[in-house]
């Protein structure tokens, strides 16, 4: 089985991600690629995670970016407070890591999507996430 074709990211931890999509349909299932491995503490479920992220629809537009706002987001991880693809893709990784996460609709916003953000019910979401800290 061939590995999933994931977008290329041409920037480093702390920089606004530059994402180039392959000329292929979005892969099925949840895919996590560690772009840079951090050396900080391991992210565990129930902790408050501080992260910078850049969210795009597969092959499309940015729908949300803490990088563009200039301040990281803080939220509980691994407890259902965020979409399942984040809970499953981030727990177990190290602070200081940069991740590329491809999230299918069923682990994102589901069949209803998130219309206010321009996300449809069949959209695969792609995030570049910098794990800044946990508390």
């Amino acid at each position: 089985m061939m590995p999933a074709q994931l977008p290329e990211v041409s920037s480093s931890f702390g920089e606004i991600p530059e994402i180039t999509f392959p000329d292929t349909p979005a892969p099925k299932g949840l895919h996590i690629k560690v772009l840079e491995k951090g050396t900080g503490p391991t992210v565990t479920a129930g902790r408050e995670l501080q992260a910078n992220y850049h969210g795009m629809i597969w092959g499309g537009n940015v729908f949300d970016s803490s990088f563009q706002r200039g301040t990281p987001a803080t939220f509980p991880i691994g407890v259902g407070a965020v979409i399942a693809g984040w809970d499953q893709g981030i727990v177990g990784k190290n602070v200081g890591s940069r991740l590329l996460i491809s999230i299918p609709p069923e682990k994102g916003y589901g069949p209803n999507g998130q219309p206010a953000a321009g996300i449809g019910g069949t959209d695969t979401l792609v995030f570049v996430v910098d794990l800044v800290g946990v508390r």
Side-chain angles (χ1 to χ4, degrees):
M1 188 164 142
M2 286 183 48
Q5 287 247 256
L6 296 174
E8 293 290 319
V9 179
S10 60
S11 51
S12 299
F13 188 93
E15 298 173 347
I16 293 180
E18 294 175 30
I19 301 170
T20 307
F21 287 88
D23 293 329
T24 56
K28 300 283 184 226
L30 179 66
H31 296 275
I32 299 102
K33 182 177 180 183
V34 178
L35 301 172
E36 293 180 43
K37 184 167 176 19
T39 56
T42 301
V43 176
T44 53
R47 302 286 295 274
E48 284 270 306
L49 176 70
Q50 192 175 33
N52 262 317
Y53 64 88
H54 197 67
M56 298 182 74
I57 294 167
W58 183 274
N61 298 323
V62 174
F63 60 83
D64 192 13
S65 175
S66 68
F67 283 101
Q68 291 175 346
R69 286 193 296 276
T71 182
T74 302
F75 46 84
I77 193 72
V79 293
V82 293
I83 59 175
W86 274 52
D87 278 346
Q88 294 171 19
I90 293 174
V91 169
K93 304 299 186 286
N94 294 80
V95 170
S97 295
R98 171 167 270 204
L99 310 175
L100 174 70
I101 309 176
S102 175
I103 302 176
E106 64 273 13
K107 294 192 184 293
Y109 293 102
N112 297 328
Q114 187 74 296
I119 299 168
T122 60
D123 287 340
T124 293
L125 308 179
V126 174
F127 288 92
V128 174
V129 183
D130 287 359
L131 305 181
V132 177
V134 287
R135 48 176 191 234

